[in-house]
Amino acid sequence: MMTRTGPFDLSALLHAASLDTGRFVTGETCWLNAGPAELDLLWAADRELVHIVTGERLPRASCDELAISFFAWQFVADRACGALVGDPSIAYVESVFSAYDGVCIDGNPMSGDLFDLALAFLVGRDLARLDPDIVSTY
């Protein structure tokens, strides 16, 4: 599966949230409501990463809207526009972080601890998938 690394830009939403709060907005700030159609876009790997990083449990679908973090919304938006077509990867998370870092003064959905936790989880997942014989030679 190929993963494109160009994220959907949430800058306008981050700007609106930062104006409302009067401060820099980080990825764990819950602001946006997701309905069943949005939640259905997420893959199991997206839900797992969001849960590990933010603690959010995102159902496959819901009758009601659910407030989700900007971190989770980045996955929803990227699934909707086709920027994320495989499981979330290290390259994808780094790409999203870089796309906002230094450019979007209002916030970053993959900032701070969220970025660090996402990378740590993905590195661990990738190491666990390696052939033990390959790992033991290093």
Side-chain angles (χ1 to χ4, degrees), residues 23-120:
R23 62 182 169 84
F24 182 79
V25 174
T26 58
E28 73 272 7
T29 306
C30 289
W31 272 97
L32 300 173
N33 288 331
E38 290 88 10
L39 294 172
D40 196 41
L41 292 170
L42 297 173
W43 289 20
D46 304 336
R47 287 184 179 81
E48 180 182 33
L49 183 58
V50 168
H51 176 66
I52 294 295
V53 172
T54 69
E56 295 171 85
R57 291 194 183 272
L58 304 177
R60 178 149 171 86
S62 171
C63 295
D64 300 319
E65 288 190 340
L66 176 68
I68 65 172
S69 67
F70 280 111
F71 182 84
W73 255 107
Q74 187 68 56
F75 291 96
V76 169
D78 284 343
R79 289 284 181 208
C81 74
L84 179 58
V85 294
D87 285 348
S89 66
I90 294 166
Y92 168 75
V93 170
E94 288 176 336
S95 169
V96 172
F97 175 80
S98 296
Y100 289 99
D101 193 45
V103 177
C104 181
I105 61 170
D106 299 304
N108 186 336
M110 300 266 180
S111 60
D113 289 342
L114 299 180
F115 178 67
D116 294 339
L117 286 169
L119 286 182

